[in-house]
Amino acid sequence: MTVSSVEMLLIAARAMFLLLSFALATVAFTRWRRAAQAHTAQLQANHQVVLQRLADLEARVAATNVAVSQLGERVERPQQLAAAPAAASPGYQIAIRLAKGGAPREELISKCGLSIHEAELVHRLHAPQARPPARKTGPGHSHAA
């Protein structure tokens, strides 16, 4: 069994083709691996940027929550302050009714528990006022506008 030179040449060509194929596969795999590593590094860098932005957003949301709660407290405070005089207003309502009925200041002080100044104010605002006498105009004066 002797192998002819043509067959030997074909066997050598196949061996060279296989070696060339393995070398080409090795180069291709190495380049693919490097590209995958570079892509992974880029994804990790992008991931870090996204995480940093999320942390910044969380800090902003926390600061906004604090600001909103402070604004809410400011809004509620005037309502609480306005509600406090409303609790004392029934005494004033009685004082106003008495003043409209012609009660003197001393009665407002004794019956409603008002201070002298409060009774004076309620009396001035709500007590019936005596009307000043109407002035008579002479024949030369007219009220035409």
Side-chain angles (χ1 to χ4, degrees):
M1 210 160 138
T2 56
V3 179
S4 69
S5 67
V6 173
E7 288 178 9
M8 199 58 160
L9 189 62
L10 288 177
I11 291 174
R14 276 189 233 155
M16 290 299 285
F17 178 74
L18 283 175
L19 286 176
L20 183 64
S21 296
F22 283 129
L24 184 64
T26 303
V27 169
F29 179 75
T30 304
R31 287 189 179 180
W32 172 78
R33 186 173 163 214
R34 286 181 186 160
Q37 286 175 343
H39 184 68
T40 302
Q42 184 181 12
L43 286 176
Q44 286 177 344
N46 289 343
H47 181 70
Q48 291 299 323
V49 169
V50 168
L51 286 178
Q52 181 61 39
R53 287 183 179 175
L54 280 175
D56 292 344
L57 284 174
E58 286 177 350
R60 283 184 184 176
V61 166
T64 303
N65 284 340
V66 169
V68 166
S69 66
Q70 289 174 349
L71 287 174
E73 289 173 5
R74 279 192 212 165
V75 168
E76 290 175 2
R77 272 190 225 137
Q79 291 174 353
Q80 291 171 353
L81 293 176
S89 89
Y92 284 115
Q93 295 299 327
I94 294 169
I96 290 170
R97 275 189 251 137
L98 288 173
K100 285 182 179 178
R105 292 176 198 95
E106 293 76 23
E107 188 175 345
L108 298 177
I109 293 169
S110 64
K111 288 191 176 179
C112 301
L114 300 179
S115 69
I116 296 170
H117 299 291
E118 291 172 328
E120 177 70 27
L121 180 63
V122 170
H123 193 267
R124 281 188 188 177
L125 291 174
H126 299 288
Q129 301 293 324
R131 294 189 176 192
R135 291 196 293 172
K136 294 183 184 178
T137 60
H141 296 34
S142 65
H143 289 294

